[in-house]
Amino acid sequence: RLWAVDINLFAGQEIVWTSPDVFNVAAPPVYVSPGVMRLAELYVADGNGTVHALDANTGVRFWTHAFGAPVTALAVNDSSVFIAGNGVLRAIARRDGSTQWTQTVVRAAMGGPLVTNSRVLVVGQGGGVYLLDAANGGILDAAQSVPALVPGGPAVSGLQVLIPANNNTLYAFRGAP
């Protein structure tokens, strides 16, 4: 089950709400405040490949999206929820969960997609680095790659993207401002 717990209680736990709709959470949930439909929103994927949009304060679900494959990561910008899984990246509208675009990326996306309102960066398990247009999913750059398998997600520091590889090397790619 999915529970919301009041973290302000240091002596004990108070369950704020429990979702009757979400079981077997498959990827880390994403919390956003302010939301576009509610004061605060929670996006969560279940083990069946369904993404749920919930009111973070009440747990009430206001839409679902059937991704159709296991979800490994979620990310959010001002208008979209980005779903990664099974070699696919999909953008859906935060307002209603409708599909905006779907893009195939080679192998599984590692970590969550890194997003801004205009760009999406995805690193594939096979080492591919993809920069996409957040509005339409078009690939803007896929020239960079890591020459080894990538066991974990990328990190960002300033203009650098840091990508771990299983050849005991940390690769750094520098972006333009």
Side-chain angles (χ1 to χ4, degrees), residues 75-82 91-94 100-101 115 117 134-135:
V76 176
N77 70 9
D78 286 349
S79 60
S80 304
V81 177
F82 300 90
I92 61 175
R94 284 182 58 193
Q100 295 170 316
W101 53 261
V115 301
N117 284 327

Side-chain angles (χ1 to χ4, degrees), residues 89 101 103-105 114 116-122 129-144:
L89 180 68
W101 53 261
Q103 181 63 259
T104 301
V105 291
L114 303 175
T116 67
N117 284 327
S118 60
R119 301 286 186 258
V120 180
L121 181 88
V122 179
V129 180
Y130 302 89
L131 182 66
L132 297 98
D133 186 305
N136 61 27
I139 296 176
L140 301 172
D141 190 356
Q144 301 298 324

Side-chain angles (χ1 to χ4, degrees), residues 40-164:
E41 298 167 355
L42 185 68
Y43 301 96
V44 60
D46 67 24
N48 294 323
T50 300
V51 175
H52 303 262
L54 306 171
D55 182 318
N57 293 309
T58 66
V60 173
R61 183 177 62 189
F62 56 95
W63 58 251
T64 61
H65 177 87
F67 183 62
V71 175
T72 57
L74 298 170
V76 176
N77 70 9
D78 286 349
S79 60
S80 304
V81 177
F82 300 90
I83 307 167
N86 205 30
V88 172
L89 180 68
R90 178 176 295 160
I92 61 175
R94 284 182 58 193
R95 290 204 173 276
D96 61 8
S98 61
T99 299
Q100 295 170 316
W101 53 261
T102 301
Q103 181 63 259
T104 301
V105 291
V106 178
R107 294 189 119 173
M110 299 308 293
L114 303 175
V115 301
T116 67
N117 284 327
S118 60
R119 301 286 186 258
V120 180
L121 181 88
V122 179
V123 176
Q125 184 179 31
V129 180
Y130 302 89
L131 182 66
L132 297 98
D133 186 305
N136 61 27
I139 296 176
L140 301 172
D141 190 356
Q144 301 298 324
S145 66
V146 173
L149 291 177
V150 175
V156 175
S157 178
L159 293 177
Q160 293 187 346
V161 176
L162 306 168
I163 304 170

